[in-house]
């Protein structure tokens, strides 16, 4: 989770915002036995604020809406 959170912060600094798709593209899927929902937990440390919604580009997500986040 710490590695993924660090990547999310860096992505925000470089691009202005980040999604869970961006994080998974950058650091990969969670390890075996860890829920994919854990990716969302990395945004709950108080460093990020939601700034909108986008459709996921991951085929397994079937275009569902996911949050876009930026740094506070």
């Amino acid at each position: 989770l710490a590695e993924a959170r660090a990547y999310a912060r860096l992505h925000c600094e470089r691009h202005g915002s980040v999604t869970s798709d961006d994080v998974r593209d950058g650091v990969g899927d969670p390890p075996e036995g860890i829920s994919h929902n854990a990716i969302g937990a990395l945004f709950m440390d108080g460093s990020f604020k939601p700034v909108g919604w986008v459709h996921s580009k991951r085929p397994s997500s079937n275009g569902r809406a996911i949050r876009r986040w930026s740094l506070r």
Side-chain angles (χ1 to χ4, degrees):
L1 194 60
E3 178 186 355
R5 186 172 287 130
Y7 179 85
R9 284 188 184 119
L10 181 62
H11 193 280
C12 278
E13 290 168 0
R14 291 183 176 168
H15 303 283
S17 64
V18 65
T19 67
S20 57
D21 281 358
D22 297 326
V23 174
R24 289 176 75 179
D25 289 345
V27 299
D29 290 332
E32 187 71 29
I34 303 295
S35 169
H36 292 281
N37 295 334
I39 295 291
L42 71 93
F43 299 111
M44 299 300 154
D45 73 337
S47 299
F48 299 91
K49 63 180 178 181
V51 294
W53 296 89
V54 297
H55 293 282
S56 176
K57 296 179 182 172
R58 299 181 67 81
S60 61
S61 296
N62 297 310
R64 71 178 165 83
I66 58 173
R67 284 274 196 189
R68 179 173 297 282
W69 302 86
S70 70
L71 291 171
R72 290 194 183 269

